[in-house]
Amino acid sequence: MSEQESTDTSNRTGRVALETLLVSGTQYLKSSSIASIGAPEVFYSLPPRPHVGLRIDVNARQLGDDLPNFEVSLMIQGVGYRTSPTPETPEPETLYNIELIYSGLFALQNAKQDMIETLLLVEAPRQLFPSARHLLLNLIREAGFPVANIQPVDFNALLQSRRAQS
């Protein structure tokens, strides 16, 4: 077995172990809003691929004092720009602004105290993100704007960044 195959196997085993500690329940759209900036004139000359800037945050709250049940919310703010920001134009023309909160109910099973933060702020949003991204892209499309591709988010890096800021 190559070193790469060994690493892939251990990563899958680690993820399976984490997933068995985190039981997902219902996922739902908690709130959403979209503003088309400058409509209807903005639609006269849309670029084929607007730049989408995302701001993502994750929040978890316990449901009940003695229960291992949590609501995890993925807050996404998406701003569509006519062009990509540059040093000369750090704030290009805004086409739209979208805010959505996509949440899910999760339960922890046999999770050690030192794993709870990772389970709720990394693994749970990793499960929520595909549906939240789908909703975000549908809102953009339904608002009449060209849809961009939004890559997966590294929630572990997001958590590390949050820790560094604290």
Side-chain angles (χ1 to χ4, degrees):
M1 183 182 299
S2 72
E3 187 174 315
Q4 178 66 31
E5 290 173 13
S6 174
T7 302
D8 288 347
T9 303
S10 66
N11 285 342
R12 270 184 262 134
T13 303
R15 177 156 298 151
V16 169
L18 288 175
E19 289 175 358
T20 59
L21 298 174
L22 183 70
V23 179
S24 63
T26 302
Q27 294 184 10
Y28 50 95
L29 178 63
K30 196 165 186 176
S31 70
S32 67
S33 68
I34 182 165
S36 299
I37 312 300
E41 291 81 6
V42 71
F43 296 107
Y44 294 155
S45 62
L46 284 175
R49 289 204 130 175
H51 176 79
V52 179
L54 292 180
R55 177 175 291 145
I56 298 175
D57 196 13
V58 178
N59 191 11
R61 69 180 183 98
Q62 190 166 6
L63 304 173
D65 292 334
D66 296 329
L67 300 173
N69 300 326
F70 294 83
E71 177 189 55
V72 177
S73 295
L74 188 57
M75 282 92 38
I76 302 175
Q77 179 185 19
V79 179
Y81 297 107
R82 184 167 295 282
T83 61
S84 297
T86 64
E88 297 80 34
T89 314
E91 287 289 325
E93 180 186 353
T94 301
L95 304 173
Y96 58 83
N97 191 340
I98 296 178
E99 294 181 12
L100 68 84
I101 300 174
Y102 191 77
S103 299
L105 300 177
F106 294 89
L108 299 178
Q109 290 185 337
N110 304 320
K112 295 178 184 166
Q113 190 66 31
D114 63 335
M115 298 181 75
I116 292 174
E117 186 177 44
T118 300
L119 288 167
L120 295 175
L121 300 180
V122 176
E123 292 303 317
R126 186 177 288 148
Q127 292 180 25
L128 293 172
F129 185 74
S131 296
R133 175 176 53 192
H134 178 77
L135 283 168
L136 179 71
L137 293 174
N138 276 343
L139 281 171
I140 293 169
R141 183 178 42 80
E142 292 296 326
F145 295 99
V147 177
N149 186 22
I150 297 174
Q151 297 298 316
V153 173
D154 183 350
F155 289 100
N156 192 40
L158 188 64
L159 177 61
Q160 298 308 320
S161 173
R162 178 185 273 181
R163 285 178 179 163
Q165 291 175 358
S166 297

